[in-house]
Amino acid sequence: LALAGREQIDAVFEQIACNNLQIEERQMLCIEGLTEGGHEVLHALNEVAVQRLGASMISVEVTVDGKPTLVCNGDGVIVSTPTGSTAYSLSAGGPIGAPSCRCMVITPLSPHNLTIRPLVIADSSVVSMLIRTRSNEASLSIDNRTFKVSDGVEVEVKLSKRAISLAVPHN
């Protein structure tokens, strides 16, 4: 329904009824880790973002498939799907991923190091983020849900077994 504004919603339903929309399967992320409610498994279509709370920067130690990949001292890190690459990740300087691209995008948020850049990795990868904070709290955003996490929490991000089907116009 994001195809159109309120005034065009009837036209969208007409396109659905006439089978004038194609269905695209979009990958999702599976996020495991400790949140304020305990250990949870959550899913995201767009992204998972670790972000600072307050004025103090945080450090996020990122490993990909068990290999140390980057340490981002700054405002945080985003891991997005190709669908989410045009949302928060893009506004933070990340690349655009084609919906059919089988990848994840890791985008640092305001890093305090000039050599840290966004990364595009295979969607078969497992990303771990170890969160280090001075204030003992950070924010974990998973699409439109936000959780507070404590210093030392590790969050694992990987391709979800779930997918979502989106209806898109043929053009």
Side-chain angles (χ1 to χ4, degrees):
L1 297 179
L3 298 173
R6 278 186 203 175
E7 53 282 346
Q8 294 99 17
I9 200 71
D10 289 336
V12 171
F13 283 119
E14 187 175 319
Q15 286 184 343
I16 292 169
C18 295
N19 201 24
N20 288 336
L21 297 174
Q22 62 186 17
I23 305 299
E24 287 184 2
E25 189 119 322
R26 299 289 178 96
Q27 67 192 84
M28 296 179 71
L29 299 174
C30 175
I31 300 96
E32 294 186 52
L34 293 172
T35 63
E36 61 191 8
H39 186 86
E40 294 190 49
V41 177
L42 300 166
H43 299 272
L45 172 62
N46 291 313
E47 76 271 318
V48 55
V50 175
Q51 303 167 82
R52 68 183 172 100
L53 284 175
S56 186
M57 76 174 174
I58 63 173
S59 178
V60 182
E61 299 171 18
V62 179
T63 62
V64 177
D65 295 329
K67 297 178 183 123
T69 304
L70 67 93
V71 176
C72 182
N73 297 306
D75 289 353
V77 173
I78 303 167
V79 178
S80 69
T81 63
T83 301
S85 71
T86 58
Y88 189 16
S89 177
L90 179 64
S91 69
I96 295 173
S100 60
C101 180
R102 304 297 299 182
C103 66
M104 288 188 271
V105 177
I106 301 172
T107 307
L109 290 171
S110 302
H112 289 235
N113 183 330
L114 294 176
T115 61
I116 294 180
R117 297 286 177 244
L119 302 170
V120 178
I121 60 172
D123 70 353
S124 59
S125 300
V126 176
V127 178
S128 292
M129 296 185 287
L130 178 61
I131 304 162
R132 299 287 185 196
T133 70
R134 293 180 189 165
S135 65
N136 208 32
E137 277 189 330
S139 172
L140 178 67
S141 298
I142 299 171
D143 282 348
N144 63 345
R145 297 157 292 174
T146 303
F147 306 88
K148 285 185 180 177
V149 292
S150 302
D151 179 61
V153 165
E154 188 163 11
V155 177
E156 182 179 275
V157 182
K158 60 187 173 187
L159 184 66
S160 176
K161 292 179 182 167
R162 294 182 184 178
I164 190 167
S165 297
L166 291 182
V168 295
H170 286 292
N171 62 358

